[in-house]
């Protein structure tokens, strides 16, 4: 058994070999908490949640560090616009992000450090880089000298001479316009911390290098994040960490975006779909299915139609599970997933291929039910539950079945209303008024419901 992953730095799929046998260490760039999350934000956390679950299934002890960037230009700007403290803006949105992760069934990270809690570690790293000749202080700013690090831009495969480094207007005194800020000098009215080079606040890139070093040491297995972070963020992280003396990450994994009309979902483009709003209209487990089942390196083009297709596909799985449980009672997940599912997941987290195994197993289970082969149906359900458990999609898992999923109250209301209509249909059948019974059934089907008559009574589901 070997897990294979696409390493952005190598530009190829590589066999995963951990630094410490039986353990996997993952650093994931988390939220910059300047606004509430849209589904594009949550996709990254969801993809790496599935990766972590798969490593755990394969017997690894998984450590996941996912940071929170709770201070940056956008947070400060929002605070000024709203007349609120910067930390209140950051905290409210951090809570919103965690609510979004929780709603979609993501496991909490092993550690979730905030940038503002790690200024001493950042100062230590800057001091070491200045002493080694890789950084310099001027006008209260501290910059990284990109020409001092020959490996710079190897991750993004760019040429230094063609580089346009993003920079803000207050970054003064650079030796080279391509040098990037690790620390920004204090400005009146803005939050700041004391350093040997004057008061100021962290640069975005320094935060992650310092926190990865603190929680995962000088070397760790996997660094993850969205495609948009490859440059400048991840490129600059590598430069800081390696120039400081760390080996840093062995593998680099990047998830693709959620797009609308071909563009990356972004608040600045005005095309975002907030998680808090989405969960009012769609069951969170369906949203997880929609966002988590495409390959993590494939773009997802958002549309209502695609969400409805995901809802229908997941309903077929749920329908099979419900029918077996009604016939045979509770069924525990199998101890192992089918070999074809494991093979797909080992191959660069091939969730689409793994999901095909789930649906094939569901079809086999439905065929067994039709043949009244209870034993085979139960065996297939056990396999399905094992596979869905790895994907975080088992509707019988306590996370979803315990009534925590948003939308359950609405389902209960609809169920009560449908039951009233079904009772009327059953009364018509009892008095042998089959025309009325059939008319009621037809009306329900036209409303998008499927009615199945079973030995224990009629059952409805979304068509």
């Amino acid at each position: 058994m070997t897990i294979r992953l696409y390493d952005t730095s190598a530009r190829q799929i590589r066999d995963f070999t951990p630094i410490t046998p039986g353990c996997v260490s993952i650093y994931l760039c988390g939220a910059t908490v300047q606004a509430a999350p849209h589904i594009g934000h949550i996709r990254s956390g969801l993809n790496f949640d599935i990766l972590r679950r798969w490593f755990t299934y394969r017997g690894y002890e998984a450590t996941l560090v996912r940071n929170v960037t709770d201070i940056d230009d956008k947070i400060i700007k929002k605070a000024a616009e709203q007349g609120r403290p910067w930390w209140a803006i950051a905290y409210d949105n951090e809570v919103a992000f965690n609510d979004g992760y929780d709603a979609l069934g993501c496991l909490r990270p092993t550690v979730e450090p905030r940038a503002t809690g790690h200024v001493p570690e950042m100062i230590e790293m800057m001091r070491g880089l200045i002493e080694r000749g890789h950084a310099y202080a001027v006008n209260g700013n501290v910059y990284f000298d990109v020409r001092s690090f020959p490996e710079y831009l190897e991750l993004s495969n760019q040429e230094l001479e063609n580089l346009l480094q993003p920079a803000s207007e207050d970054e003064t005194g650079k030796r080279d316009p391509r040098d990037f800020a690790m620390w920004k000098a204090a400005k009146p009215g803005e939050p700041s911390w004391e350093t040997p080079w004057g008061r100021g606040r962290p640069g975005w890139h320094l935060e992650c290098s310092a926190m990865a070093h603190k929680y995962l040491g000088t070397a760790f297995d996997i660094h993850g994040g969205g495609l948009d972070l490859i440059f400048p963020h991840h490129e600059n992280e590598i430069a800081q960490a390696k120039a400081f003396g760390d080996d840093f990450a062995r593998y680099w994994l990047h998830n693709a975006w959620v797009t609308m009309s071909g563009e990356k979902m972004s608040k600045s483009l005005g095309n975002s779909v907030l998680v808090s709003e989405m969960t009012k209209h769609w069951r969170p487990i369906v949203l997880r299915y929609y966002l988590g089942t495409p390959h993590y390196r494939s773009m997802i083009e958002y549309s209502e139609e695609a969400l409805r297709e995901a809802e229908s596909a997941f309903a077929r799985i749920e329908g099979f599970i419900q029918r077996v449980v009604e016939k045979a009672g509770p069924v525990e997940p199998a101890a192992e997933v089918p070999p074809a599912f494991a093979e797909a997941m080992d191959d660069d987290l091939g969730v689409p291929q793994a999901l095909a195994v789930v649906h094939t197993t569901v079809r086999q289970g439905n065929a067994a039910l039709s043949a009244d082969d209870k034993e085979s149906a139960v065996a297939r359900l056990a396999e399905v539950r094992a596979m869905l458990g790895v994907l975080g999609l088992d509707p019988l898992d306590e996370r979803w079945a315990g009534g925590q999923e948003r939308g359950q109250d609405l389902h209960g209301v609809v169920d009560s209303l449908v039951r009233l209509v079904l009772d009327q249909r059953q009364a018509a059948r009892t008095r042998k008024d089959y025309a009325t019974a059939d008319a009621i059934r037809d009306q329900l089907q036209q409303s998008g419901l499927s009615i199945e008559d079973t030995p224990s009574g009629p059952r409805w589901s979304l068509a």
Side-chain angles (χ1 to χ4, degrees):
M1 176 275 298
T2 301
I3 295 176
R4 304 175 72 240
L5 300 169
Y6 183 86
D7 180 5
T8 304
S9 61
R11 296 172 185 81
Q12 64 180 353
I13 294 178
R14 298 172 54 202
D15 289 350
F16 175 75
T17 304
I19 296 171
T20 302
C23 299
V24 57
S25 48
I26 305 169
Y27 186 93
L28 174 61
C29 284
T32 298
V33 287
Q34 49 96 7
H38 56 63
I39 58 173
H41 290 132
I42 296 297
R43 184 189 182 186
S44 181
L46 179 51
N47 287 154
F48 283 88
D49 179 67
I50 294 173
L51 177 69
R52 176 191 187 181
R53 288 169 182 266
W54 183 244
F55 270 115
T56 301
Y57 173 83
R58 279 305 199 189
Y60 287 86
E61 180 181 341
T63 299
L64 174 65
V65 178
R66 186 182 68 209
N67 75 294
V68 175
T69 297
D70 60 341
I71 185 68
D72 84 331
D73 293 340
K74 293 178 181 178
I75 294 172
I76 293 171
K77 181 180 179 182
K78 287 283 181 69
E81 291 172 350
Q82 298 179 21
R84 300 177 62 206
W86 63 271
W87 50 263
I89 299 288
Y91 179 73
D92 286 351
N93 291 312
E94 181 182 342
V95 170
F97 266 88
N98 281 328
D99 286 347
Y101 292 131
D102 290 345
L104 269 63
C106 295
L107 303 173
R108 287 293 177 99
T110 312
V111 184
E112 192 169 27
R114 296 188 182 101
T116 55
H118 296 81
V119 171
E121 289 83 0
M122 298 180 208
I123 293 173
E124 179 186 355
M125 183 165 279
M126 285 189 289
R127 182 183 289 114
L129 289 169
I130 290 172
E131 291 173 354
R132 292 170 174 81
H134 292 291
Y136 56 95
V138 57
N139 300 332
N141 298 301
V142 179
Y143 299 110
F144 186 91
D145 181 355
V146 297
R147 289 189 176 275
S148 72
F149 185 66
E151 300 171 41
Y152 191 57
L153 300 180
E154 287 187 358
L155 179 68
S156 57
N157 198 30
Q158 298 183 78
E159 295 291 337
L160 184 61
E161 301 307 319
N162 300 326
L163 179 66
L164 294 174
Q165 180 76 260
S168 58
E169 294 178 359
D170 57 337
E171 293 182 7
T172 60
K174 286 185 178 182
R175 296 174 183 172
D176 186 309
R178 290 162 294 200
D179 294 345
F180 62 86
M182 295 191 296
W183 191 261
K184 298 185 176 185
K187 291 195 289 188
E190 290 189 356
S192 63
W193 289 260
E194 189 63 61
T195 76
W197 312 282
R199 294 191 67 85
R201 59 183 174 87
W204 177 30
H205 317 300
L206 179 63
E207 301 168 1
C208 287
S209 297
M211 288 187 282
H213 177 90
K214 178 178 178 65
Y215 293 102
L216 297 176
T218 59
F220 57 95
D221 294 308
I222 296 170
H223 196 310
L227 281 174
D228 52 322
L229 299 183
I230 294 176
F231 181 84
H233 187 47
H234 289 166
E235 197 72 76
N236 293 352
E237 279 189 65
I238 292 171
Q240 292 165 154
K242 290 196 171 183
F244 184 69
D246 290 357
D247 288 334
F248 211 48
R250 299 289 183 89
Y251 299 80
W252 286 85
L253 271 64
H254 292 93
N255 62 277
W257 303 330
V258 179
T259 61
M260 293 181 72
S261 301
E263 293 186 276
K264 175 195 169 190
M265 188 171 284
S266 166
K267 292 188 183 302
S268 62
L269 294 176
N271 62 1
S272 58
V273 183
L274 295 181
V275 176
S276 58
E277 291 300 313
M278 293 292 288
T279 53
K280 294 177 183 177
H281 304 286
W282 300 91
R283 296 170 58 210
I285 197 169
V286 170
L287 284 176
R288 183 179 177 99
Y289 184 96
Y290 171 68
L291 293 172
T293 53
H295 195 276
Y296 75 93
R297 290 194 284 119
S298 298
M299 297 292 182
I300 299 176
E301 174 66 15
Y302 171 79
S303 71
E304 292 278 332
E305 181 182 0
L307 258 169
R308 285 192 294 270
E309 290 174 357
E311 183 179 51
S312 296
F314 191 68
R316 290 193 291 273
I317 297 173
E318 286 185 303
F320 163 67
I321 294 172
Q322 184 179 7
R323 286 189 287 275
V324 177
V325 171
E326 287 179 353
K327 189 177 186 68
V331 176
E332 291 300 311
E336 296 183 358
V337 298
F341 181 94
E343 183 180 353
M345 294 294 287
D346 282 339
D347 187 12
D348 193 30
L349 211 65
V351 175
Q353 293 77 20
L355 191 65
V357 179
V358 174
H359 283 286
T360 296
T361 307
V362 166
R363 287 193 293 271
Q364 292 170 347
N366 281 327
L369 286 173
S370 297
D372 202 26
D373 186 349
K374 178 180 174 181
E375 183 178 351
S376 293
V378 167
R380 299 295 80 73
L381 175 54
E383 293 173 346
V384 166
R385 288 202 64 193
M387 293 185 282
L388 293 179
V390 167
L391 300 176
L393 286 168
D394 181 3
L396 298 183
D397 185 90
E398 183 180 349
R399 169 63 187 83
W400 305 110
Q404 299 178 37
E405 184 187 356
R406 300 179 188 182
Q408 288 296 109
D409 292 343
L410 179 60
H411 185 277
V413 171
V414 173
D415 182 67
S416 296
L417 293 173
V418 174
R419 291 293 169 192
L420 287 175
V421 178
L422 290 177
D423 287 346
Q424 294 176 9
R425 175 174 175 263
Q426 185 59 41
R429 296 182 70 185
T430 300
R431 62 177 184 266
K432 298 184 179 181
D433 184 359
Y434 298 115
T436 298
D438 290 344
I440 292 174
R441 178 176 182 140
D442 291 343
Q443 286 180 321
L444 289 172
Q445 289 176 334
Q446 289 173 10
S447 300
L449 300 177
S450 175
I451 308 302
E452 180 182 359
D453 292 311
T454 73
S456 58
R459 178 177 61 239
W460 71 272
S461 61
L462 291 174

